[in-house]
């Protein structure tokens, strides 16, 4: 728990522990809510991500509606704005509501899911969009800080006969939910899902472009979702479902030995039902059998029949160090890929085609790999030509666990790889109509900070991105070369064909029979024979000649 220095009356320093809610309330910018513009964006992002996890992770085709309403215009004086802890200027107070058709939240979990910091269903070895237990709770905390309004949550779990309504905020001192109102009623239909509303201060005029782009980029990698956005000015933006095919949902798996730290080991030792260390290692971890467990315990100098709950601090440290040391001398099995849910090449291509309308599109999904015991998959998509406008550099669409990353692009490992690639080697000269999509899926994405804007330069991830990008770029190169050859061929065809009528007329004259003074062959027949000669010479099927000409014209 963070500690705060406090000056006593006698000049001595005293230390006071503060809870997570108070820490993030005082340092709300660490969660991404560092200005009024970013606040609206971050709220929409966190709530949309929650809704997608509540649907697709459980095999439900998402249907999500986002409504942003301006409740009143901002009229604060300049002096009042200068006193605000939040940077920038606001232009109003907004109610942001996100409605989904997910699995819903059980009645007894609703207050904690929205009112207790670092409380989450996502602290498991499984790919999810959020992992820190902040997310929507940070939005609730920001609402308390700026408007003092609690969040309104309406939810009905699948197979539950009731719908529940709560108004909840966070007790800053205790990090416990503060329930202002609660109610319930019998469902009249079969609706299931969650509707969340928060009221915050923000600046929609500046946030609009980022919010709209975030929803658009989400729709690109989730073509199986039906997403509607209604803005404060009444604009309705809808991305209808384009396929019913969904990625395979991730499964919860046991932790891998290489991904364990001391605190995680402490928690496992206290929660395990195993009676001995040997049993704990073989039942609580993946890739650890009896033989491996005995070797690890021998390296740690621990007896196999020790009781896990009675381990000392030093014994836990020795066990963690031995697990990592074993991984350097021997080789564990790779982390299970069952915990991952990549988008898939087919869905990436559907998304890029439907949203960008390119001339060429391809996608590469690499085989699962791992870093520090955490499994990950890298996927790359390339869209080229068509309705994509030319730009001086590739347009980069970054994703982590299917979540778009819009801020601090140039600090991301994806930008590093994309910008370092020599695109001329792949027949691409800028300005060019080129979009590159990079997706990293992992049980633990190595973000650079808690705002989750950029992915760190982990060597294993960087190498996989480079390999996937090179493969996709090679496919693009083959397309560009083929297209160029087709264009050159079409130009040759046109050059030959434009002389065909004139040559046919001349040959018709030369074919005149001296006795009858009539041509022995018609002009049409001569043209057909000339076309056959041209087709044979250029290696083009005769019936394809008109298509080639139309294509170039």
């Amino acid at each position: 728990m963070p500690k705060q220095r406090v000056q006593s009356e006698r000049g001595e320093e005293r230390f006071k522990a503060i809870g997570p809610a108070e820490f993030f309330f005082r340092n709300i910018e660490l969660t991404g809510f560092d200005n009024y513009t970013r606040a609206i964006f971050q709220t929409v992002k966190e709530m949309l991500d929650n809704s997608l996890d509540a649907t697709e992770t459980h095999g439900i085709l998402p249907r999500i509606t986002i409504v942003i309403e301006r409740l009143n215009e901002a009229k604060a004086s300049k002096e009042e704005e200068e006193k605000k802890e939040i940077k920038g200027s606001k232009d109003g107070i907004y109610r942001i509501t996100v409605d989904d058709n997910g699995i819903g939240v059980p009645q007894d979990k609703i207050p904690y899911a929205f009112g207790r910091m670092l409380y989450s269903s996502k602290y498991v070895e499984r790919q999810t969009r959020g992992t820190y237990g902040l997310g929507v709770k940070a939005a609730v905390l920001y609402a308390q800080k700026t408007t003092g309004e609690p969040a309104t949550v309406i939810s009905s779990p699948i197979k539950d006969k009731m719908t529940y309504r709560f108004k909840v905020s966070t007790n800053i001192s205790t990090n416990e939910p503060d329930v202002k109102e609660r109610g319930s009623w019998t469902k009249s239909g079969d609706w299931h899902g969650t509707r969340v509303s928060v009221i915050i201060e923000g600046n929609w005029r500046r946030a609009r472009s980022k919010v709209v782009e975030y929803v658009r980029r989400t729709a690109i990698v989730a073509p199986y979702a039906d997403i509607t956005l209604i803005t404060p000015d009444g604009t309705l933006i809808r991305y209808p479902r384009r396929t019913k095919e969904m990625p395979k949902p991730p499964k919860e798996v046991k932790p891998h030995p290489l991904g364990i730290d001391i605190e995680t080991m402490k928690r496992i030792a206290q929660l395990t039902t195993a009676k001995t260390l040997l049993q704990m290692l073989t039942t609580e971890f993946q890739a650890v059998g009896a033989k491996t467990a005995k070797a690890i315990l021998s390296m740690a100098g621990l007896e196999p029949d020790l009781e896990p709950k009675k381990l000392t601090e030093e014994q836990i440290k020795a066990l963690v160090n031995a697990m990592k040391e074993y991984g350097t001398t021997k080789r564990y099995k790779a982390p299970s890929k069952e915990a991952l849910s990549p988008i898939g090449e087919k869905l990436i291509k559907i998304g890029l085609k439907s949203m960008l309308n390119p001339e060429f599109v391809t996608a590469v999904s690499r085989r699962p790999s791992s870093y520090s015991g955490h499994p990950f998959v890298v996927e790359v998509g390339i869209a080229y030509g068509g309705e994509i406008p030319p730009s001086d550099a590739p347009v980069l669409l970054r994703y982590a666990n299917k979540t778009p990353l819009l801020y601090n692009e140039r600090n991301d490992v994806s930008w590093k790889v994309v910008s370092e690639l020599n695109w001329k080697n792949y027949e691409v000269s800028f300005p060019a109509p080129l979009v590159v999509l990079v997706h990293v899926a992992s049980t633990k994405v190595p973000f650079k900070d808690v705002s989750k804007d950029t992915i760190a330069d982990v060597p294993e991830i960087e190498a996989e991105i480079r390999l996937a990008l090179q493969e996709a770029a090679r496919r693009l190169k083959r397309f560009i070369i083929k297209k160029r050859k087709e264009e050159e061929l079409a130009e040759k065809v046109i050059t030959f064909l434009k002389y065909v009528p004139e040559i046919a007329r001349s040959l018709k004259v030369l074919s005149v029979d001296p006795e009858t003074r009539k041509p022995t062959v018609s002009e049409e027949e001569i043209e057909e024979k000339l076309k056959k000669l041209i087709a044979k010479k250029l290696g083009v099927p005769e019936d394809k000649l008109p298509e080639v000409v139309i294509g170039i014209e």
Side-chain angles (χ1 to χ4, degrees):
M1 183 176 289
K3 295 183 179 180
Q4 178 189 19
R5 291 175 180 239
V6 181
Q7 194 76 18
S8 70
E9 293 179 0
R10 293 182 294 179
E12 299 173 345
E13 276 192 331
R14 292 186 292 111
F15 291 88
K16 174 188 175 183
I18 62 174
E22 186 173 353
F23 174 80
F24 285 112
F25 187 81
R26 295 183 182 185
N27 302 280
I28 195 72
E29 67 279 358
L30 294 178
T31 63
F33 290 81
D34 55 352
N35 59 62
Y36 291 110
T37 301
R38 183 70 184 265
I40 291 181
F41 166 81
Q42 199 72 18
T43 300
V44 172
K45 172 191 180 304
E46 300 295 356
M47 293 169 70
L48 175 56
D49 290 353
N50 267 17
S51 291
L52 286 167
D53 273 341
T55 49
E56 65 177 50
T57 302
H58 303 278
I60 301 171
L61 287 167
R63 186 179 64 253
I64 300 169
T65 301
I66 306 160
V67 181
I68 306 174
E69 306 167 88
R70 181 183 285 111
L71 302 184
N72 70 334
E73 296 283 347
K75 297 180 180 179
S77 66
K78 183 178 180 181
E79 291 74 18
E80 289 175 322
E81 288 296 343
E82 287 176 351
K83 292 179 182 178
K84 285 282 187 181
E85 295 180 37
I86 310 299
K87 299 175 184 177
S89 60
K90 63 182 179 182
D91 67 355
I93 294 176
Y94 297 87
R95 176 166 50 226
I96 301 176
T97 304
V98 177
D99 182 296
D100 66 57
N101 62 329
I103 60 168
V105 185
Q107 178 188 11
D108 59 331
K109 298 292 191 297
I110 291 175
Y112 299 98
F114 295 91
R116 178 190 281 178
M117 302 299 288
L118 305 181
Y119 179 89
S120 175
S121 65
K122 301 174 182 179
Y123 291 120
V124 295
E125 287 293 309
R126 184 184 69 191
Q127 175 189 326
T128 56
R129 286 176 169 81
T131 55
Y132 292 158
L134 299 175
V136 70
K137 290 177 282 295
V140 174
L141 210 59
Y142 177 79
Q144 286 180 235
K145 192 178 185 76
T146 58
T147 66
E149 295 289 338
T152 300
V153 183
I154 299 174
S155 188
S156 182
I158 289 180
K159 297 181 180 179
D160 197 313
K161 296 180 180 179
M162 303 295 291
T163 297
Y164 307 100
R165 180 180 182 273
F166 284 79
K167 281 196 172 184
V168 61
S169 58
T170 302
N171 185 307
I172 304 302
S173 300
T174 64
N175 191 33
E176 290 296 321
D178 184 3
V179 177
K180 308 292 186 182
E181 294 179 16
R182 71 171 69 206
S184 63
W185 57 89
T186 304
K187 281 197 293 192
S188 57
D190 59 357
W191 176 76
H192 57 80
T194 303
R195 181 181 298 122
V196 183
S197 293
V198 295
I199 298 175
I200 64 171
E201 291 181 346
N203 190 318
W204 168 251
R205 293 184 184 92
R206 293 183 179 178
R208 187 185 191 284
S209 61
K210 287 288 187 184
V211 170
V212 171
E213 181 63 12
Y214 186 85
V215 175
R216 172 179 168 271
R217 292 195 185 188
T218 297
I220 288 176
V221 295
Y224 45 83
D226 188 314
I227 304 175
T228 300
L229 170 65
I230 301 174
T231 68
D233 53 14
T235 302
L236 187 149
I237 302 171
R238 180 167 179 248
Y239 297 104
R241 184 176 295 117
R242 286 145 285 158
T243 179
K244 291 186 177 181
E245 183 173 330
M246 295 176 65
K248 184 180 178 181
K251 296 180 180 179
E252 183 177 344
V253 299
K254 297 173 183 177
H256 192 275
L258 291 178
I260 293 298
D261 56 38
I262 293 173
E263 289 303 318
T264 303
M265 182 63 80
K266 284 181 182 178
R267 188 170 71 248
I268 292 173
Q270 290 302 310
L271 297 176
T272 186
T273 57
K275 302 299 182 184
T276 67
L277 271 185
L278 181 63
Q279 186 183 4
M280 183 185 80
L281 292 182
T282 56
T283 59
E284 299 291 347
F285 298 92
Q286 55 174 294
V288 179
K291 183 178 178 180
T292 300
K294 289 176 182 178
I296 291 171
L297 292 173
S298 177
M299 293 172 67
L302 299 173
E303 294 297 325
D305 58 353
L306 279 177
E307 187 177 342
K309 289 181 172 59
K310 294 183 179 180
L311 288 175
T312 65
E313 184 91 13
E314 290 303 315
Q315 288 174 325
I316 288 176
K317 288 180 181 178
L319 182 56
V320 171
N321 291 335
M323 294 178 83
K324 295 186 182 299
E325 185 181 346
Y326 181 89
T328 61
T329 57
K330 303 287 185 179
R331 187 180 179 90
Y332 290 112
K333 288 183 180 179
S336 173
K337 62 181 181 181
E338 293 295 313
L340 301 178
S341 176
I343 303 165
E345 295 179 1
K346 183 178 179 181
L347 290 177
I348 290 175
K349 288 193 283 188
I350 290 174
L352 290 174
K353 279 182 181 178
S354 60
M355 299 294 285
L356 304 178
N357 198 18
E359 184 180 7
F360 168 84
V361 66
T362 190
V364 175
S365 289
R366 294 282 297 169
R367 296 183 65 179
S369 187
S370 66
Y371 79 94
S372 302
H374 305 294
F376 73 91
V377 168
V378 165
E379 300 178 290
V380 166
I382 283 182
Y384 180 86
E387 295 183 6
I388 299 173
S391 57
D392 293 330
V395 175
L396 178 59
L397 307 180
R398 298 176 296 129
Y399 295 85
N401 288 348
K402 304 172 190 168
T403 299
L405 307 178
L406 267 61
Y407 285 89
N408 302 323
E409 178 179 274
R410 306 222 165 188
N411 292 328
D412 193 281
V413 63
S414 297
W415 174 260
K416 177 184 177 183
V417 175
V418 171
S419 61
E420 287 178 354
L421 190 71
N422 188 344
W423 288 97
K424 289 185 179 179
N425 290 341
Y426 300 93
E427 305 295 328
V428 178
S429 298
F430 292 98
L434 176 64
V435 173
V436 177
L437 180 154
V438 177
H439 175 229
V440 177
S442 179
T443 55
K444 186 177 181 181
V445 177
F447 292 111
K448 288 187 174 181
D449 54 50
V450 74
S451 63
K452 300 182 290 186
D453 289 327
T454 55
I455 298 175
D457 301 357
V458 174
E460 294 90 341
I461 292 179
E462 182 178 336
E464 284 294 305
I465 294 174
R466 184 169 286 105
L467 289 170
L469 181 61
Q470 289 171 341
E471 173 59 29
R474 283 193 292 270
R475 297 178 189 177
L476 174 60
K477 178 181 179 179
R478 290 194 289 270
F479 167 79
I480 292 173
I481 291 175
K482 181 182 178 182
K483 181 183 178 184
R484 187 181 301 149
K485 288 181 178 179
E486 289 175 350
E487 291 176 348
E488 291 172 354
L489 177 61
E491 289 175 1
K492 289 180 181 178
V493 170
I494 289 176
T495 301
F496 284 117
L497 288 182
K498 69 181 181 180
Y499 293 109
V500 165
E502 184 179 343
I503 294 173
R505 284 192 295 271
S506 299
L507 291 176
K508 177 184 174 184
V509 173
L510 292 175
S511 71
V512 172
D513 187 321
E515 295 182 1
T516 62
R517 295 184 179 276
K518 291 183 179 180
T520 57
V521 63
S522 69
E523 190 173 322
E524 289 77 14
E525 288 177 307
I526 295 173
E527 285 188 4
E528 287 301 314
K529 289 182 178 180
L530 286 172
K531 288 179 181 179
K532 286 182 179 180
L533 285 172
I534 293 170
K536 184 178 180 180
K537 179 70 176 176
L538 297 178
V540 179
E542 186 181 354
D543 59 344
K544 297 293 183 182
L545 282 179
E547 294 180 16
V548 173
V549 175
I550 291 171
I552 191 64
E553 290 177 340

